[in-house]
């Protein structure tokens, strides 16, 4: 579906050894459900920052992410997206750094 919508040969889409694609490493089966057009150009391109961030945000929101969640719940939701403690901890640390800039 993703390759048809974007006019790309599925064998030409760069992905991980596990088949995940895009900046946020979505599994192809999740793109139709959670993919989002973050830059308003009418397509979901997971290799652009606006669409990748919008898609990941959509995924997290659909799984319960909302303002005011405890850090433990935030961590649990990140672990649901990517079953890696290092990944979840890295995202949490980056969020802390972004928050400190405000």
């Amino acid at each position: 579906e993703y390759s048809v919508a974007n006019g790309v040969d599925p064998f030409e889409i760069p992905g991980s050894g596990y088949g995940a694609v895009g900046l946020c490493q979505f599994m192809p089966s999740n793109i139709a459900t959670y993919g989002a057009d973050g830059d308003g150009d009418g397509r979901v391109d997971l290799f652009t920052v606006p669409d990748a961030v919008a898609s990941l945000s959509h995924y997290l929101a659909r799984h319960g992410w909302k303002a005011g969640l405890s850090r433990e719940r935030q961590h649990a939701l990140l672990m649901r997206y990517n079953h890696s403690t290092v990944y979840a901890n890295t995202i949490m640390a980056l969020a802390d750094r972004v928050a400190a800039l405000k």
Side-chain angles (χ1 to χ4, degrees):
E1 221 174 296
Y2 177 76
S3 61
V4 171
N6 287 288
V8 185
D9 179 341
F11 295 107
E12 298 297 319
I13 300 172
S16 73
Y18 299 102
V21 298
L23 300 175
C24 291
Q25 293 291 280
F26 265 83
M27 294 308 290
S29 59
N30 287 332
I31 297 170
T33 304
Y34 303 111
D37 177 12
D39 58 13
D41 69 356
R43 13 179 322 230
V44 174
D45 181 354
L46 296 175
F47 293 93
T48 66
V49 172
D51 289 5
V53 170
S55 297
L56 179 53
S57 299
H58 185 219
Y59 176 93
L60 292 172
R62 293 270 306 269
H63 286 88
W65 192 286
K66 58 186 175 216
L69 285 180
S70 69
R71 287 187 67 80
E72 293 79 19
R73 184 69 181 130
Q74 289 174 352
H75 194 273
L77 286 171
L78 290 169
M79 290 292 293
R80 183 171 180 177
Y81 175 73
N82 182 328
H83 303 287
S84 165
T85 302
V86 171
Y87 175 86
N89 289 345
T90 300
I91 297 300
M92 298 288 290
L94 288 169
D96 290 343
R97 293 194 69 176
V98 169
L101 296 173
K102 294 181 179 179

